[in-house]
Amino acid sequence: MKMLSAQNVAHINGGVIGMNSELLFTIDQILFIILPLFIYKIFILDKPAINPVLQFIAMVVCCSVSMITSMAIPLIEVKGYIIDLRVVAFSIGFLYGGYRVGIALMLVTIGYRYYIGGDGFYATLVLQTILSMALIPLSRNFLTRHLNFKLAIGAFIGVLYSSLVMIWFYIAGVLDQDVINFPFFIQFTLTLILSLFSVTYVIEMMRKNASIREEIHHWEKLKMVSEIAASVSHEVRNPLTVIRGFIQLLARGQVREDKKQEYYLYIMEELNRAQVIITDYLNFAKPQTSQVEEIKVMENINYVVGVLTPYAVIHNVELVVSGEREVAIRGDRLKLRQCLLNIIKNGIEATRSEGIVSITQSLKEEQVIIKITDTGVGMDSKQLKRLGSIHVSIKENGTGLGTRVVYSIVQSMGGTIEVQSKRAEGTSFTLSFPRIDHSGSKRK
């Protein structure tokens, strides 16, 4: 078929039937198909929140470039008439961009065709007007239609436009039996239909993928909300558990009066800590700077151990504390307590009856080392590798969020954390923080 030939130029009836080189023909195909898809994805699908005016401009410019390229590098030129694939970009812009985009594209098409000149200008003026009138009702609610309907519209446009071109050529008397004949129009019609099918299908797949990405993003937000809720529950449960332990001891009626006052102070302190935790998560959307201060390490270790002692007694677990002279680090005192409480409490729960959880503080090259070791069930290498991830816990009803909070707190204070564990032998958490000297500056 001569339409796809890219060899020589034949002169028929004073006109020129020209076939472009294979390279230019290939460029034409790439531009009229790829460019609208590219711009549609970049400026519309990937940026749904972009200004509608910018979307309109992007669609018009993209499809205009595609149509102008098709007209500048036509498939056939004869007696002032050109046959090209501009209708593909024109129809896609009209259907997916709406009638406003379609009207703008019609003006661009007519304007450029007038610039080219020749008798074909009048054909473009009439045929584009007829096609636009047919596309206006089809573009209504087009985006919500089923894919099969959209493909059917593509077939209709291909048949309609090809028929209009053939009728015009027949009326104008420029049909040529060698080139512009019935088999040519059959091939031209099929080319239009297949092109519209391909572009429509690719756009629909891109829209589907964009919808899936949006849905995934939505579910990720819900997942984050769920994780926050679970984290709040997990963190608040710690002080409530401690409070419950003190109340159980008080309920036995065997506590000395001086101890009662001490337990009441612990209870009030833990209630305040629960309130702080809730406030922190309520302000999650508007994070506030933590209160940075000088923290005496052994003092806070002893506080946390004192708080958890009743809980350890209930589980028949011994807490052993040892340490060197008092040293200081810089950070948030309440968050450090929360971090230590999480680790020690987990160690108590992982340790069998009559087990030991030891807490030691030491110095190593200007680093304050806090080591918490239990004689509990331990973890295998797989669990150890995933420690600190969300929803990864060795406890039956655990979420893994407590350990994740521990990692977050240690990192926020400029520290590091190392975990060693073996199945049935226990687990050891080693926290390292930069020590500060008496002037309050950190030592590296």
Side-chain angles (χ1 to χ4, degrees):
M1 187 70 206
K2 292 186 177 181
M3 184 183 76
L4 298 179
S5 174
Q7 305 299 325
N8 300 320
V9 177
H11 295 272
I12 299 178
N13 297 326
V16 178
I17 302 176
M19 293 293 101
N20 299 288
S21 69
E22 292 181 358
L23 177 60
L24 292 179
F25 182 79
T26 302
I27 292 175
D28 176 68
Q29 307 307 304
I30 293 175
L31 284 176
F32 88 78
I33 291 178
I34 298 299
L35 191 56
L37 299 180
F38 176 79
I39 209 73
Y40 186 81
K41 182 178 188 300
I42 297 299
F43 288 93
I44 297 179
L45 292 182
D46 289 350
K47 297 180 180 179
I50 193 173
N51 191 305
V53 175
L54 295 180
Q55 287 187 347
F56 170 82
I57 294 174
M59 200 77 173
V60 171
V61 170
C62 162
C63 294
S64 296
V65 171
S66 180
M67 292 187 306
I68 290 173
T69 304
S70 294
M71 288 187 283
I73 312 174
L75 302 178
I76 288 181
E77 180 181 351
V78 57
K79 293 183 179 181
Y81 291 88
I82 61 174
I83 296 180
D84 52 67
L85 299 174
R86 83 191 81 157
V87 68
V88 176
F90 178 77
S91 301
I92 291 299
F94 209 122
L95 294 172
Y96 282 94
Y99 73 91
R100 292 185 179 86
V101 173
I103 292 174
L105 294 178
M106 179 180 173
L107 295 176
V108 170
T109 305
I110 294 174
Y112 185 74
R113 190 62 186 86
Y114 178 80
Y115 170 78
I116 294 175
D119 295 336
F121 166 74
Y122 301 101
T124 297
L125 180 61
V126 174
L127 299 185
Q128 291 293 131
T129 301
I130 296 175
L131 182 61
S132 297
M133 293 175 63
L135 288 174
I136 288 177
L138 294 176
S139 64
R140 295 170 184 168
N141 301 321
F142 180 81
L143 296 178
T144 61
R145 297 284 189 172
H146 192 270
L147 176 60
N148 292 336
F149 176 84
K150 295 176 180 178
L151 295 179
I153 293 298
F156 170 75
I157 294 171
V159 173
L160 174 64
Y161 187 76
S162 179
S163 300
L164 291 173
V165 172
M166 185 172 64
I167 292 172
W168 185 276
F169 270 56
Y170 176 78
I171 296 175
V174 293
L175 290 176
D176 182 87
Q177 295 300 319
D178 291 332
V179 178
I180 310 299
N181 49 31
F182 185 73
F184 164 79
F185 281 107
I186 293 296
Q187 183 174 349
F188 182 58
T189 302
L190 292 176
T191 301
L192 289 179
I193 293 175
L194 290 176
S195 299
L196 287 165
F197 272 17
S198 301
V199 176
T200 302
Y201 182 80
V202 172
I203 288 179
E204 288 303 307
M205 291 302 101
M206 291 193 303
R207 293 182 70 231
K208 182 178 180 180
N209 290 336
S211 177
I212 292 174
R213 288 198 304 271
E214 184 178 352
E215 186 175 352
I216 291 174
H217 183 62
H218 172 72
W219 283 108
E220 284 178 347
K221 287 184 178 179
L222 292 180
K223 181 181 178 183
M224 182 181 68
V225 172
S226 174
E227 290 171 357
I228 293 173
S231 183
V232 172
S233 173
H234 182 280
E235 296 305 316
V236 171
R237 189 183 295 119
N238 284 338
L240 292 181
T241 301
V242 172
I243 293 170
R244 180 182 179 182
F246 281 119
I247 292 176
Q248 287 176 336
L249 288 176
L250 292 171
R252 293 177 182 177
Q254 300 176 353
V255 182
R256 300 193 313 269
E257 194 64 30
D258 59 334
K259 283 292 183 181
K260 286 183 180 181
Q261 296 300 320
E262 181 181 347
Y263 289 171
Y264 288 143
L265 291 175
Y266 279 134
I267 290 173
M268 290 303 301
E269 185 74 20
E270 289 306 297
L271 285 173
N272 291 333
R273 193 168 71 87
Q275 184 177 2
V276 169
I277 292 171
I278 294 173
T279 301
D280 285 344
Y281 282 101
L282 288 177
N283 294 328
F284 182 79
K286 297 173 61 178
Q288 297 179 352
T289 305
S290 298
Q291 182 179 354
V292 179
E293 57 186 326
E294 181 177 318
I295 305 172
K296 295 181 179 180
V297 177
M298 282 304 301
E299 177 182 313
N300 284 274
I301 289 177
N302 289 327
Y303 171 83
V304 173
V305 169
V307 167
L308 286 175
T309 295
Y311 191 66
V313 170
I314 294 173
H315 286 76
N316 199 21
V317 173
E318 182 181 1
L319 299 180
V320 178
V321 181
S322 61
E324 299 179 359
R325 61 185 177 86
E326 184 67 271
V327 291
I329 60 175
R330 185 168 294 280
D332 189 316
R333 177 174 55 87
L334 293 179
K335 290 188 181 298
L336 177 64
R337 290 182 180 182
Q338 181 181 354
C339 171
L340 296 176
L341 190 142
N342 276 339
I343 298 176
I344 298 173
K345 178 173 174 290
N346 286 341
I348 294 172
E349 293 174 347
T351 302
R352 298 182 180 87
S353 181
E354 298 184 1
I356 297 175
V357 176
S358 62
I359 306 96
T360 60
Q361 175 245 286
S362 61
L363 280 174
K364 182 180 180 181
E365 298 179 356
E366 303 303 329
Q367 290 284 315
V368 178
I369 309 299
I370 303 174
K371 190 170 185 179
I372 303 170
T373 305
D374 64 63
T375 57
V377 295
M379 295 176 284
D380 56 32
S381 58
K382 185 177 180 180
Q383 291 173 321
L384 190 61
K385 185 177 181 180
R386 299 175 61 194
L387 191 67
S389 300
I390 299 176
H391 299 312
V392 177
S393 174
I394 63 173
K395 292 187 283 187
E396 182 178 354
N397 297 317
T399 63
L401 286 163
T403 308
R404 187 188 183 197
V405 169
V406 167
Y407 275 81
S408 177
I409 292 174
V410 172
Q411 291 172 1
S412 68
M413 294 176 59
T416 61
I417 183 169
E418 180 182 350
V419 185
Q420 296 177 334
S421 184
K422 287 186 179 181
R423 270 293 189 186
E425 294 185 13
T427 302
S428 176
F429 283 79
T430 303
L431 315 182
S432 301
F433 299 96
R435 181 172 72 92
I436 59 175
D437 57 23
H438 295 293
S439 64
S441 61
K442 281 188 178 182
R443 292 188 177 183
K444 304 287 186 179

